[in-house]
Amino acid sequence: MLAEIKGLNEECGIFGIWGHEDAARLTYYGLHSLQHRGQEGAGIVVAGGGNLSGHKGLGLVTDVFQSGTLDALFGSAAIGHVRYSTAGGGGYENVQPLLFRSQTGAMALAHNGNLTNAIELKLALEGQGSIFQTTSDTEVFAHLIRRSQAPTFVGQMKEALSQIEGAFAFLLLTETALYAALDPHGFRPLSLGRLGSAYVVASETCAFDVIGATYEREVAPGELLIISGEGVRSERFAPERPRSICSMEYIYFARPDSHVDGINVHTARKNLGKRLALEAPAEADIVTGVPDSSISVAIGYAEATGIPYELGLIKNRYVGRTFIQPSQALREQGVKMKLSPVRGVVAGKRVVMVDDSIVRGTTSRRIVAMLREAGAVEVHVRISAPPITHPCFYGIDTSSKEELIAAKHTVEDIRRLIGADSLAFLSQEGLLAAIGRPEGAPQRGQCLACFTGQYPTRISPIARPCMTVK
C-alpha cells in the first residue's frame, strides 16, 4: 500500500563508496534510488584532502542537493543517508550522516535501524558527562566509540558495537577508511558491491544497478567490514545469531528490482500472491493491486486464479509525500490525493483488491469506499501479510499496539469496519514459504515480531516502539 499515508512507513537508506574520484555524485545517484526508504531528509559526507565535509537538509534528495551543491563536495570516498524518522523524531539536527570532529580526527555516521537499548545507554552516558546534540539514537554509538579505551579505532568500534542492541546497519567514514557493520541478527539488508576498483555498500542492490556497480555479497550479521586503500578486511564483533531479516523488506519496503539476501523482491511478491490465491481464493471478475508494492502480489494472485489482472487503481506520482508531517488527517486526505480508481475498469465488476497490510484500517476503508463509488459491485480484500498485532522496536514505524486494528479486532470485525465483502490475510507459514525462507531453513530466518509479538532480542523495559513523533 501507500505506506506513507497509512502509518506503516519506510525505514532509512544508506549508501557508501570508497575509491572513486566522483564519490559525491555517485552517492547522490545511489540515494536517489533509495528514496523510497525515506523522504524526510538526506545528506552526504565526503572524505578528501585529509578532511571530512558534507551537506544535508530536509526534503527529498533532489530538493536537498540543488545545482552546484555536489560540486563543492570533493573526495574519493563518501557516505549518504535518506531518512524517515523513527526514534528521535524529525528535525534538521537529526538528518544524517552525523558528522563528529575531535582532536583525534573526524568521523561521519549513517544508520538504518533502531537501537532498543538506546535510552538506557544514553542515560548512562549522560551520567558520565556526555552531552548530546541530537535526539537520534545514532549519536549514542558515536559517544560509545569515543569513550572506548581500546588501543585501535577498529577495537573501539567493536567495543561500541558489542554494547548496542536491536537493529542496525551502520556506515562510518573517516579520512582513512569506510566501515560497514550489521547487527548480529541481520535485521536490515546491507550489500557490498564493486565499481571498477571502487567498493560500494548499500541498503539495497538497486543502488548498485543505477551506478553500474556489480553485486559482490551480503554483509554478514555480526560482521564489520573495513574498506581502505588496502582493500576490504572482514572482522567479527559478535557471533552470528539466527537470521531475523525484517519481513517487511519483502512485503513492501524494498524496491521490486532489488535482491534482499539473495532473493529477488518482485519474484517474492509474486509468490506471495500465488500463495494468497491458494489460501484465500475469491469469485471475482478482476484482480487489482494497490500501488506500488502490491502490484507484483496482484499479478501473482491473478496468474494463480486465472482471474484477469487489471489496473483498477492509479497512483498520482506528482503529489508531495504526505508523511513528512504524518498526522492522521493528512494520511486520510492523502488517500484521495494519491489514489484514483479507474471507473471504466471496476464499474459493474466483482473486484479482488490486493494489498500488503492493514495497520489502522482507515486507508483500507477509504480505498474500498472509492472502489464502490466507482461502481464496483463487490470488493474482496486480500492481504499479502499476516495481521499486524504488535509494534516494532527495530526501526519500522508501526505505531503503538493500541492503534493497530488487528490487535483488538477479529478478521471478521476488520472486514466489517473496512466495508469489504470478504477479507483474508496470508498465513505466517504461507509468508515464509512464498518468500523462499521456510521455517527451519539454514540462514533463512525472518523477523515476524509484528505478527507474533516474539521479539528476537531483549527489549529494554524503557524502550519505545518505533513511532512517528507528531
Side-chain angles (χ1 to χ4, degrees), residues 61-135:
V61 174
T62 51
D63 297 328
V64 174
F65 295 96
Q66 300 287 336
S67 177
T69 306
L70 292 172
D71 296 334
L73 298 176
F74 300 106
S76 59
I79 62 172
H81 188 272
V82 288
R83 172 178 173 78
Y84 177 79
S85 64
T86 51
Y92 175 83
E93 70 277 5
N94 289 322
V95 177
Q96 298 182 31
L98 300 180
L99 180 55
F100 304 91
R101 302 187 188 277
S102 70
Q103 294 301 312
T104 57
M107 66 177 180
L109 263 178
H111 170 214
N112 175 26
N114 196 61
L115 307 183
T116 56
N117 65 337
I119 298 176
E120 288 179 349
L121 291 171
K122 195 169 186 178
L123 288 172
L125 288 165
E126 287 178 342
Q128 297 167 19
S130 291
I131 298 175
F132 290 84
Q133 302 298 315
T134 75
T135 56

Side-chain angles (χ1 to χ4, degrees), residues 318-335:
Y318 303 100
V319 176
R321 307 289 287 195
T322 59
F323 69 80
I324 290 175
Q325 295 178 320
S327 69
Q328 184 64 26
L330 280 175
R331 272 192 296 268
E332 295 190 8
Q333 179 61 28
V335 178

Side-chain angles (χ1 to χ4, degrees), residues 43-339:
I44 295 174
V45 170
V46 298
N51 189 33
L52 297 187
S53 59
H55 178 79
K56 66 180 184 178
L58 296 171
L60 303 178
V61 174
T62 51
D63 297 328
V64 174
F65 295 96
Q66 300 287 336
S67 177
T69 306
L70 292 172
D71 296 334
L73 298 176
F74 300 106
S76 59
I79 62 172
H81 188 272
V82 288
R83 172 178 173 78
Y84 177 79
S85 64
T86 51
Y92 175 83
E93 70 277 5
N94 289 322
V95 177
Q96 298 182 31
L98 300 180
L99 180 55
F100 304 91
R101 302 187 188 277
S102 70
Q103 294 301 312
T104 57
M107 66 177 180
L109 263 178
H111 170 214
N112 175 26
N114 196 61
L115 307 183
T116 56
N117 65 337
I119 298 176
E120 288 179 349
L121 291 171
K122 195 169 186 178
L123 288 172
L125 288 165
E126 287 178 342
Q128 297 167 19
S130 291
I131 298 175
F132 290 84
Q133 302 298 315
T134 75
T135 56
S136 169
D137 59 348
T138 307
E139 192 179 0
V140 171
F141 182 51
H143 281 262
L144 291 173
I145 292 173
R146 286 307 184 199
R147 284 188 170 272
S148 170
Q149 298 301 307
T152 66
F153 186 74
V154 170
Q156 293 167 8
M157 275 197 72
K158 291 169 75 172
E159 183 177 318
L161 287 165
S162 69
Q163 296 179 65
I164 58 180
E165 299 172 1
F168 53 87
F170 276 114
L171 288 180
L172 188 151
L173 182 65
T174 68
E175 297 95 332
T176 57
L178 169 64
Y179 303 84
L182 186 65
D183 69 80
H185 288 274
F187 285 101
R188 300 281 157 255
L190 193 62
S191 299
L192 174 69
R194 289 291 297 272
L195 179 61
S197 61
Y199 291 93
V200 289
V201 184
S203 294
E204 291 186 35
T205 59
C206 64
F208 297 162
D209 298 333
V210 77
I211 64 168
T214 56
Y215 168 85
E216 291 277 304
R217 68 176 180 89
E218 300 293 311
V219 178
E223 183 179 26
L224 171 63
L225 291 182
I226 302 99
I227 305 171
S228 68
E230 300 176 357
V232 178
R233 187 170 93 248
S234 173
E235 296 200 14
R236 297 207 62 83
F237 65 86
E240 187 170 344
R241 301 189 176 97
R243 189 74 196 256
S244 297
I245 195 163
C246 177
S247 295
M248 295 303 172
E249 294 290 347
Y250 298 104
I251 294 168
Y252 62 78
F253 283 149
R255 259 180 39 167
D257 54 335
S258 287
H259 284 69
V260 174
D261 199 23
I263 297 174
N264 175 256
V265 174
H266 169 70
T267 301
R269 288 177 185 162
K270 275 191 70 176
N271 290 336
L272 290 174
K274 292 177 180 179
R275 181 65 183 236
L276 189 55
L278 180 67
E279 293 185 3
E283 292 187 8
D285 302 307
I286 64 169
V287 177
T288 192
V290 179
D292 286 314
S293 57
S294 299
I295 291 176
S296 298
V297 183
I299 292 171
Y301 190 97
E303 286 183 3
T305 59
I307 302 170
Y309 168 78
E310 293 284 357
L311 202 62
L313 290 163
I314 297 294
K315 180 180 178 180
N316 181 357
R317 302 181 184 278
Y318 303 100
V319 176
R321 307 289 287 195
T322 59
F323 69 80
I324 290 175
Q325 295 178 320
S327 69
Q328 184 64 26
L330 280 175
R331 272 192 296 268
E332 295 190 8
Q333 179 61 28
V335 178
K336 291 186 176 180
M337 294 174 65
K338 288 282 184 180
L339 285 179

